[in-house]
Amino acid sequence: MTQQDDKKRKHFILSGTAEAEQFTSAGAGGGGSSTPVRNRGQHGAALLHQIQDLRPGTESARAAQEAAGVEAGFGLQVAFESFPDVELAFESLARERTGIELLNVRHEDERTLATVFVPDGKLGVFEGLIAAYLDESRDGKKGPRNSALLNTIAEIRAATLEELWTDDPSALPQSDDEAFWWEVWLPVRDDRTAVTSGFKRLARGLDFRVADGELQFPERTVLLVYGSAGQMKRSVLTLNSIAELRRAKDTAEFFDSLRPDEQPSWLDDLLGRMTIPVPGAAVPHVCLFDTGANHGHPLLRLALDDRDLHTVEPAWGVDDSDGHGTAMAGLALAGNLTEALASREPIQINHRLESVKLIPRDGANGGDAKHHGYLTIEAVARPEVTAPGRHRVFSMAVTARDNRDRGRPSSWSAAIDRLAADADGQGQTLRLFVISAGNVNDRVAWATYPNSNGTDGIHDPGQSWNALTVGATTALVQITEANTAGYQPIAPAGGLSPFSTTSFSWQPHWPLKPDVVFEGGNAATDPLGEVLTMTSLSLITANSAVQERLFTTATATSAASALAARMAAQLMAQYPELWPESIRALIVHSAEWTAAMRGAFLPSNRHPTKREIATLIRHCGFGTPELDRAMWSIENSLTMVCEEQLHPFKRDHRKEPSTRDMNLHRLPWPLEELEALGQTEVEMRVTLSYFIEPNPSARGIKSRYRYESHGLRFDVKRASESEADFRARINVAARDEEEQTRSGSADQSWVIGTQNRHKGSLHSDIWRGNAADLASRGVLAVYPALGWWKTRTRLERYDTAARYSLVVSIRAPEVDVDLYAAVANKVAAVVTVQT
């Protein structure tokens, strides 16, 4: 177990009165011992000698610089190594005013190693530090000057290629002759362009292949170059211009370009490292509604039992003649195989697969929403009859061809909402659906990215309220195919994929969709401006035609939805007791917007308005989920999951139905710890997830014939409010919901705001402020909003209970504070009060 793993703890699961808690208590990980006292004379003399030994290298390197005609400033890479089990005071190595820059820090075998850039002529700075350390007349109250730094240093030497390697040590090339793609991380100094162009000139002089494009970060520029370690070592000047070296992630192009006779050995290696539950195991299953699945593929054979292959039409069979379903099955099982194949680590999979052939081939009957609504109901029934009671997530990448509904519920989306809420079964077996948002398939439109995403709306049934609707993002921007000089990726790293549709064109009262975005690949333009797809910008997955090849590529929201279903199954395996509403909530709760998403849809020179935030969500959902954040709490970032129910409405005698319950959650707040942090900025996130019972008709969106059975809302007590005032404010808010009016002032510390977040049946928002303010906000309310259960009296659903999942997290990202332990000590005192 790594030190990082040692800090992971299970979320607090609070059900009913929530007096019982479920979490894993683990140590915070050990640290090094305090800095030992050294023999000043011997230690200082040894360090001074090592520094002085570096001078000849600087002089020879200057000559190499002049011979190469490089104009950028030159210096030396110096490696500092700590004593075992002593933390190197590496931050003290940087002297920015002199140009001395800390490049990287690594931890190996209980030692800390740091690489520092020392400009030409600045080694004297370290000589001065050591001279002061040796001079007893300059001692302070704590002993020799600079001892906190120098007593931790065991060795100083010229950095080699190994000192620049910050990737997994196992990825370091075993031979100087091995050619591969390197990620070269260049420092950003006064002139980013000069540093980058200077390195490219040096690299090409060493016969490196330099890929077009670069990633720019505040203090690093990342390039891709193809060559060997032997080439890299030929030039000290080249190494001295680099901050970090990593092995570039193998792209789909590498594995897809393997000859068919080469692919089995790669797959055999993967299968040898993979552990999958046996058939019949009580584990979650991803049930795919697609074109079937090829059970004969070696990867799928391990996770897909014959009894779990189904079809809605017996004449179609259960096999996959199209290939789309097999591709989705590979992603739902093991994720993007590019990553799995390139890894050398063991892979533990804790779920299995089911397949229902919903269509005979990809796109068949794609526009017949009525037909698919019926077939989807049939598809759900097949595995549930065969394996009742099994935990499963339904994954569907089949959508209509057009987007004409523009958020309005269709028969297909309403069928999914009804299945999710188990309306026909009286809410006994609620279901989680993960469905794709549909794709922007017009390549001409991609040229207007990202405007093309905004004009192509999410396809039916992606407007489903209860489903987790998945759009696509991409981190794939490196084009590695041969003869692609001048090709450029359309979307930036972390941006919205050009394939992804959005709800930007919908009317504002419809749900915020997509809910989240997962990797869906990218597209590119060639030097003539032609738009095309690239293998290196795609995901690798299982190929159905195994007699031809084992791997194929996948892209777009289909691939993204399969990855989302995989994450849902992973969460189900870790938290088997959680409801489907909670799994959906945790995925959304873990999502964050990337810098590229914010840059594309939010202003850079001021705080965004609530409307601009809503625009961002309608394009990118709540961002890209992160599995560790969804699955674990850590010391300074904890998550509580409350599963409850309330009765939204009641009917007394023969009166008209009225509002009934409001639930107050007094959470086990880390009050003292938050108060101690004072003005430190912290973050609280709240996500409310529930399933509505649909009642589709074209009779008014907010009339008594509205689509949703009920709504739920949340609010949080403000710092200055008493609990009585908070209750009164919630009563007013509930009345406003019913009368469609607005009263009172909004809390501007919420990122999304009440007017935007309360759409659909999934509401998430982020409060940001100081810790002292948050300390007084430990009471949350969940209260009902109008729905047809109340307004359609004759249907007699007004006494129905409504389940919900409330996920609350606190993050103090900038401070080292154990909020988790504080909550663990209080969790037994949690009380949920109905009023």
Side-chain angles (χ1 to χ4, degrees):
M1 178 180 289
T2 66
Q3 187 178 40
Q4 188 66 28
D5 289 336
D6 197 38
K7 295 182 179 180
K8 295 176 180 176
R9 290 96 181 269
K10 293 186 74 173
H11 300 321
F12 294 100
I13 311 301
L14 312 175
S15 301
T17 59
E19 294 182 355
E21 40 102 359
Q22 298 182 19
F23 65 98
T24 299
S25 181
S33 60
S34 59
T35 305
V37 176
R38 306 289 175 195
N39 182 306
R40 186 208 311 242
Q42 291 180 359
H43 184 60
L47 294 180
L48 187 60
H49 180 71
Q50 292 169 12
I51 284 287
Q52 291 171 345
D53 278 349
L54 297 174
R55 289 190 175 277
T58 305
E59 294 169 3
S60 61
R62 185 190 303 113
Q65 175 196 14
E66 294 171 354
V70 177
E71 300 177 0
F74 182 71
L76 179 69
Q77 311 274 20
V78 180
F80 293 80
E81 181 177 326
S82 77
F83 288 96
D85 203 32
V86 175
E87 183 71 17
L88 181 69
F90 54 82
E91 292 185 11
S92 300
L93 293 171
R95 296 288 192 275
E96 294 184 357
R97 291 184 179 180
T98 64
I100 296 174
E101 177 187 0
L102 180 65
L103 296 179
N104 64 68
V105 178
R106 304 169 322 284
H107 296 275
E108 297 178 7
D109 301 326
E110 299 181 343
R111 297 169 301 141
T112 305
L113 301 100
T115 307
V116 172
F117 172 75
V118 182
D120 193 9
K122 297 299 182 182
L123 280 174
V125 173
F126 289 105
E127 291 175 328
L129 292 176
I130 298 171
Y133 172 79
L134 291 169
D135 187 349
E136 294 185 13
S137 67
R138 302 181 63 181
D139 285 2
K141 294 181 179 180
K142 295 183 179 181
R145 292 284 299 275
N146 307 314
S147 59
L149 168 63
L150 298 179
N151 281 350
T152 67
I153 299 173
E155 183 182 354
I156 304 172
R157 58 181 180 267
T160 63
L161 182 147
E162 286 73 20
E163 268 79 37
L164 299 176
W165 190 262
T166 58
D167 209 337
D168 189 316
S170 66
L172 189 68
Q174 302 301 306
S175 166
D176 282 357
D177 297 327
E178 179 190 353
F180 61 95
W181 283 100
W182 303 68
E183 273 188 6
V184 178
W185 293 60
L186 301 176
V188 174
R189 298 187 175 120
D190 292 338
D191 190 338
R192 182 196 295 266
T193 302
V195 172
T196 304
S197 60
F199 173 80
K200 288 181 178 179
R201 191 161 53 246
L202 289 168
R204 292 189 177 107
L206 293 169
D207 296 325
F208 277 100
R209 177 182 166 192
V210 181
D212 288 339
E214 60 191 51
L215 297 178
Q216 295 187 355
F217 301 100
E219 294 187 285
R220 292 290 183 267
T221 302
V222 183
L223 305 176
L224 237 60
V225 303
Y226 185 85
S228 68
Q231 289 171 265
M232 194 75 73
K233 291 176 179 179
R234 289 207 317 254
S235 171
V236 173
L237 187 59
T238 303
L239 289 175
N240 283 350
S241 61
I242 297 170
E244 301 179 41
L245 288 171
R246 306 181 189 183
R247 185 183 286 265
K249 302 297 190 299
D250 289 313
T251 67
E253 182 265 336
F254 172 80
F255 295 108
D256 190 62
S257 64
L258 291 172
R259 298 194 312 269
D261 61 313
E262 294 175 321
Q263 293 189 357
S265 63
W266 284 90
L267 184 59
D268 288 343
D269 173 75
L270 172 63
L271 297 179
R273 294 182 283 110
M274 186 176 288
T275 303
I276 299 176
V278 298
V283 296
H285 285 59
V286 176
C287 184
L288 295 138
F289 294 170
D290 215 286
T291 61
N294 185 352
H295 182 239
H297 193 285
L299 175 62
L300 302 188
R301 187 185 305 135
L302 300 175
L304 186 55
D305 192 65
D306 284 336
R307 293 168 296 181
D308 294 324
L309 292 167
H310 308 278
T311 180
V312 294
E313 176 53 62
W316 295 346
V318 297
D319 62 320
D320 182 17
S321 59
D322 177 84
H324 191 269
T326 301
M328 296 304 102
L331 294 173
L333 179 67
N336 182 3
L337 293 186
T338 305
E339 302 160 7
L341 290 166
S343 171
R344 301 177 186 177
E345 299 298 320
I347 299 174
Q348 176 69 49
I349 294 176
N350 296 315
H351 63 279
R352 292 182 59 82
L353 301 177
E354 297 172 327
S355 170
V356 182
K357 193 167 187 175
L358 184 66
I359 52 175
R361 62 187 185 279
D362 185 23
N365 300 316
D368 191 350
K370 288 184 179 179
H371 186 55
H372 280 314
Y374 169 76
L375 290 182
T376 301
I377 296 172
E378 291 293 303
V380 167
R382 299 293 191 271
E384 289 190 345
V385 169
T386 302
R390 177 179 283 175
H391 286 284
R392 57 172 59 87
V393 51
F394 295 98
S395 177
M396 186 171 70
V398 179
T399 64
R401 295 181 185 275
D402 61 50
N403 55 14
R404 66 181 184 272
D405 293 305
R406 297 188 180 277
R408 183 180 57 131
S410 69
S411 60
W412 194 1
S413 71
I416 291 173
D417 283 340
R418 190 165 182 82
L419 287 164
D422 191 31
D424 292 327
Q426 302 301 312
Q428 297 302 307
T429 308
L430 275 70
R431 305 175 180 93
L432 178 60
F433 283 85
V434 175
I435 57 180
S436 65
N439 302 323
V440 179
N441 292 316
D442 184 357
R443 294 194 180 193
V444 176
W446 294 349
T448 63
Y449 172 90
N451 293 337
S452 53
N453 300 95
T455 56
D456 201 339
I458 288 172
H459 295 195
D460 187 25
Q463 69 270 42
S464 164
W465 286 44
N466 294 340
L468 183 76
T469 304
V470 183
T473 180
T474 188
L476 304 177
V477 295
Q478 299 293 350
I479 300 171
T480 58
E481 287 89 341
N483 303 316
T484 54
Y487 283 51
Q488 295 293 326
I490 289 178
L496 191 63
S497 169
F499 301 104
S500 195
T501 54
T502 71
S503 65
F504 181 64
S505 61
W506 292 4
Q507 293 296 315
H509 45 260
W510 292 126
L512 299 168
K513 295 284 182 174
D515 297 301
V516 289
V517 289
F518 280 76
E519 179 62 59
N522 208 342
T525 57
D526 67 12
L528 299 178
E530 182 179 353
V531 179
L532 35 80
T533 57
M534 306 291 296
T535 299
S536 60
L537 303 180
S538 306
L539 294 80
I540 283 287
T541 186
N543 185 37
S544 64
V546 293
Q547 70 280 5
E548 298 175 5
R549 56 196 304 110
L550 294 172
F551 308 134
T552 189
T553 58
T555 57
T557 61
S558 296
S561 65
L563 296 180
R566 174 174 179 255
M567 181 176 176
Q570 290 171 308
L571 289 171
M572 286 178 172
Q574 183 63 48
Y575 295 99
E577 73 276 22
L578 287 185
W579 297 343
E581 302 97 310
S582 296
I583 299 297
R584 179 175 73 150
L586 283 172
I587 293 174
V588 170
H589 199 81
S590 75
E592 291 185 350
W593 298 302
T594 64
M597 294 173 190
R598 291 177 175 273
F601 301 105
L602 298 181
S604 59
N605 58 348
R606 57 173 173 79
H607 288 295
T609 64
K610 298 293 190 284
R611 177 174 292 184
E612 288 166 338
I613 292 291
T615 296
L616 171 63
I617 299 172
R618 289 204 176 275
H619 283 84
C620 304
F622 291 94
T624 303
E626 204 273 318
L627 180 61
D628 270 1
R629 197 160 47 237
M631 193 172 286
W632 306 108
S633 292
I634 56 177
E635 291 172 347
N636 65 347
S637 178
L638 64 93
T639 299
M640 293 168 274
V641 182
C642 308
E643 293 184 332
E644 286 291 348
Q645 72 172 22
L646 57 73
H647 285 79
F649 314 113
K650 64 179 180 179
R651 189 183 188 190
D652 295 328
H653 305 295
R654 295 186 178 181
K655 297 180 180 178
E656 288 295 314
S658 60
T659 302
R660 174 175 166 179
D661 290 343
M662 171 180 73
N663 279 2
L664 289 184
H665 293 263
R666 295 193 186 92
L667 297 175
W669 225 232
L671 182 63
E672 295 82 7
E673 288 73 14
L674 288 172
E675 288 178 339
L677 291 177
Q679 297 302 305
T680 302
E681 183 169 303
V682 294
E683 178 180 296
M684 171 178 59
R685 184 164 186 172
V686 180
T687 300
L688 176 63
S689 173
Y690 56 98
F691 293 162
I692 57 97
E693 182 182 354
N695 186 25
S697 69
R699 292 182 290 177
I701 298 161
K702 294 186 178 297
S703 72
R704 59 195 300 245
Y705 304 103
R706 62 183 61 218
Y707 177 72
E708 68 274 25
S709 54
H710 64 289
L712 295 179
R713 306 290 184 256
F714 74 81
D715 211 335
V716 181
K717 189 179 85 68
R718 298 173 185 173
S720 58
E721 280 184 323
S722 66
E723 190 168 303
D725 290 339
F726 177 51
R727 289 169 181 258
R729 181 164 62 84
I730 297 304
N731 282 325
V732 172
R735 184 197 64 200
D736 289 346
E737 281 281 347
E738 189 158 328
E739 298 177 359
Q740 300 181 39
T741 59
R742 296 185 188 180
S743 301
S745 59
D747 185 346
Q748 295 302 315
S749 295
W750 291 99
V751 171
I752 300 169
T754 56
Q755 296 303 313
N756 288 320
R757 72 184 181 219
H758 289 149
K759 301 178 189 297
S761 62
L762 180 70
H763 316 306
S764 189
D765 207 347
I766 301 166
W767 179 93
R768 294 194 178 110
N770 65 65
D773 193 350
L774 182 59
S776 303
R777 293 174 175 261
V779 181
L780 287 81
V782 176
Y783 61 96
L786 199 60
W788 64 262
W789 279 354
K790 179 177 184 293
T791 61
R792 302 295 289 140
T793 307
R794 71 177 185 85
L795 299 178
E796 298 183 346
R797 299 287 285 158
Y798 37 76
D799 288 328
T800 305
R803 298 193 336 182
Y804 65 86
S805 175
L806 183 69
V807 180
V808 184
S809 63
I810 304 173
R811 294 175 65 185
E814 301 302 326
V815 294
D816 185 13
V817 58
D818 196 346
L819 300 176
Y820 189 94
V823 172
N825 293 330
K826 298 180 179 181
V827 73
V830 174
V831 178
T832 300
V833 181
Q834 288 191 345
T835 59

